[in-house]
PDB file of all heavy atoms in Angstrom:
ATOM      1  N   LYS S 613     156.688  76.539 103.673  1.00 97.00           N
ATOM      2  CA  LYS S 613     157.703  75.444 103.697  1.00 97.00           C
ATOM      3  C   LYS S 613     157.906  74.836 102.301  1.00 97.00           C
ATOM      4  O   LYS S 613     156.980  74.977 101.388  1.00 97.00           O
ATOM      5  CB  LYS S 613     157.341  74.329 104.643  1.00 97.00           C
ATOM      6  CG  LYS S 613     157.190  74.752 106.051  1.00 97.00           C
ATOM      7  CD  LYS S 613     156.752  73.586 106.990  1.00 97.00           C
ATOM      8  CE  LYS S 613     156.684  74.002 108.411  1.00 97.00           C
ATOM      9  NZ  LYS S 613     156.135  72.913 109.254  1.00 97.00           N
ATOM     10  N   VAL S 614     159.015  74.245 102.043  1.00 98.00           N
ATOM     11  CA  VAL S 614     159.365  73.618 100.791  1.00 98.00           C
ATOM     12  C   VAL S 614     159.794  72.159 100.980  1.00 98.00           C
ATOM     13  O   VAL S 614     160.481  71.923 102.033  1.00 98.00           O
ATOM     14  CB  VAL S 614     160.484  74.453 100.036  1.00 98.00           C
ATOM     15  CG1 VAL S 614     159.929  75.811  99.692  1.00 98.00           C
ATOM     16  CG2 VAL S 614     161.738  74.482 100.790  1.00 98.00           C
ATOM     17  N   ALA S 615     159.512  71.363 100.041  1.00 98.00           N
ATOM     18  CA  ALA S 615     159.965  69.950 100.149  1.00 98.00           C
ATOM     19  C   ALA S 615     161.478  69.861  99.942  1.00 98.00           C
ATOM     20  O   ALA S 615     162.004  70.517  99.011  1.00 98.00           O
ATOM     21  CB  ALA S 615     159.323  69.103  99.061  1.00 98.00           C
ATOM     22  N   LEU S 616     162.130  69.215 100.917  1.00 98.00           N
ATOM     23  CA  LEU S 616     163.645  69.039 100.788  1.00 98.00           C
ATOM     24  C   LEU S 616     163.914  67.847  99.854  1.00 98.00           C
ATOM     25  O   LEU S 616     164.201  66.766 100.343  1.00 98.00           O
ATOM     26  CB  LEU S 616     164.251  68.850 102.095  1.00 98.00           C
ATOM     27  CG  LEU S 616     165.831  68.885 102.169  1.00 98.00           C
ATOM     28  CD1 LEU S 616     166.366  70.175 101.700  1.00 98.00           C
ATOM     29  CD2 LEU S 616     166.206  68.608 103.626  1.00 98.00           C
ATOM     30  N   GLY S 617     163.789  68.041  98.548  1.00 98.00           N
ATOM     31  CA  GLY S 617     164.018  66.926  97.620  1.00 98.00           C
ATOM     32  C   GLY S 617     163.003  65.918  97.823  1.00 98.00           C
ATOM     33  O   GLY S 617     161.782  66.136  98.190  1.00 98.00           O
ATOM     34  N   CYS S 618     163.494  64.565  97.805  1.00 98.00           N
ATOM     35  CA  CYS S 618     162.585  63.475  97.995  1.00 98.00           C
ATOM     36  C   CYS S 618     162.684  62.879  99.442  1.00 98.00           C
ATOM     37  O   CYS S 618     162.376  61.663  99.637  1.00 98.00           O
ATOM     38  CB  CYS S 618     162.941  62.377  96.965  1.00 98.00           C
ATOM     39  SG  CYS S 618     162.513  62.877  95.245  1.00 98.00           S
ATOM     40  N   THR S 619     163.226  63.660 100.392  1.00 98.00           N
ATOM     41  CA  THR S 619     163.459  63.111 101.727  1.00 98.00           C
ATOM     42  C   THR S 619     162.141  62.921 102.433  1.00 98.00           C
ATOM     43  O   THR S 619     162.095  62.238 103.465  1.00 98.00           O
ATOM     44  CB  THR S 619     164.345  64.057 102.520  1.00 98.00           C
ATOM     45  OG1 THR S 619     163.673  65.313 102.656  1.00 98.00           O
ATOM     46  CG2 THR S 619     165.725  64.251 101.896  1.00 98.00           C
ATOM     47  N   GLY S 620     161.106  63.651 102.072  1.00 98.00           N
ATOM     48  CA  GLY S 620     159.881  63.631 102.882  1.00 98.00           C
ATOM     49  C   GLY S 620     159.787  64.802 103.840  1.00 98.00           C
ATOM     50  O   GLY S 620     158.902  64.945 104.592  1.00 98.00           O
ATOM     51  N   LEU S 621     160.971  65.526 104.021  1.00 98.00           N
ATOM     52  CA  LEU S 621     160.998  66.600 104.990  1.00 98.00           C
ATOM     53  C   LEU S 621     160.512  67.905 104.334  1.00 98.00           C
ATOM     54  O   LEU S 621     160.873  68.135 103.079  1.00 98.00           O
ATOM     55  CB  LEU S 621     162.434  66.817 105.517  1.00 98.00           C
ATOM     56  CG  LEU S 621     163.179  65.632 106.107  1.00 98.00           C
ATOM     57  CD1 LEU S 621     164.561  66.056 106.591  1.00 98.00           C
ATOM     58  CD2 LEU S 621     162.364  65.112 107.301  1.00 98.00           C
ATOM     59  N   SER S 622     159.713  68.666 104.957  1.00 98.00           N
ATOM     60  CA  SER S 622     159.294  69.967 104.509  1.00 98.00           C
ATOM     61  C   SER S 622     159.955  71.012 105.431  1.00 98.00           C
ATOM     62  O   SER S 622     159.794  70.974 106.679  1.00 98.00           O
ATOM     63  CB  SER S 622     157.780  70.120 104.576  1.00 98.00           C
ATOM     64  OG  SER S 622     157.256  69.343 103.553  1.00 98.00           O
ATOM     65  N   ILE S 623     160.740  71.954 104.846  1.00 98.00           N
ATOM     66  CA  ILE S 623     161.488  72.811 105.608  1.00 98.00           C
ATOM     67  C   ILE S 623     161.128  74.301 105.316  1.00 98.00           C
ATOM     68  O   ILE S 623     160.774  74.656 104.207  1.00 98.00           O
ATOM     69  CB  ILE S 623     163.025  72.588 105.452  1.00 98.00           C
ATOM     70  CG1 ILE S 623     163.450  72.962 103.992  1.00 98.00           C
ATOM     71  CG2 ILE S 623     163.311  71.225 105.789  1.00 98.00           C
ATOM     72  CD1 ILE S 623     164.978  73.176 103.821  1.00 98.00           C
ATOM     73  N   ASN S 624     161.334  75.159 106.378  1.00 98.00           N
ATOM     74  CA  ASN S 624     161.414  76.539 106.211  1.00 98.00           C
ATOM     75  C   ASN S 624     162.710  76.823 105.380  1.00 98.00           C
ATOM     76  O   ASN S 624     163.696  76.329 105.757  1.00 98.00           O
ATOM     77  CB  ASN S 624     161.450  77.238 107.483  1.00 98.00           C
ATOM     78  CG  ASN S 624     161.350  78.799 107.401  1.00 98.00           C
ATOM     79  OD1 ASN S 624     161.916  79.402 106.589  1.00 98.00           O
ATOM     80  ND2 ASN S 624     160.532  79.347 108.301  1.00 98.00           N
ATOM     81  N   PRO S 625     162.672  77.577 104.297  1.00 98.00           N
ATOM     82  CA  PRO S 625     163.841  77.842 103.493  1.00 98.00           C
ATOM     83  C   PRO S 625     164.982  78.528 104.302  1.00 98.00           C
ATOM     84  O   PRO S 625     166.154  78.436 103.882  1.00 98.00           O
ATOM     85  CB  PRO S 625     163.376  78.765 102.353  1.00 98.00           C
ATOM     86  CG  PRO S 625     161.983  78.570 102.303  1.00 98.00           C
ATOM     87  CD  PRO S 625     161.452  78.211 103.718  1.00 98.00           C
ATOM     88  N   LEU S 626     164.604  79.151 105.366  1.00 98.00           N
ATOM     89  CA  LEU S 626     165.689  79.752 106.266  1.00 98.00           C
ATOM     90  C   LEU S 626     166.079  78.688 107.224  1.00 98.00           C
ATOM     91  O   LEU S 626     165.398  78.317 108.105  1.00 98.00           O
ATOM     92  CB  LEU S 626     165.094  80.999 107.057  1.00 98.00           C
ATOM     93  CG  LEU S 626     166.059  81.626 107.998  1.00 98.00           C
ATOM     94  CD1 LEU S 626     167.317  82.090 107.404  1.00 98.00           C
ATOM     95  CD2 LEU S 626     165.385  82.780 108.816  1.00 98.00           C
TER      96      LEU S 626
END
Side-chain angles (χ1 to χ4, degrees):
K613 295 181 182 178
V614 297
L616 187 61
C618 295
T619 62
L621 305 179
S622 292
I623 66 164
N624 187 316
L626 177 60

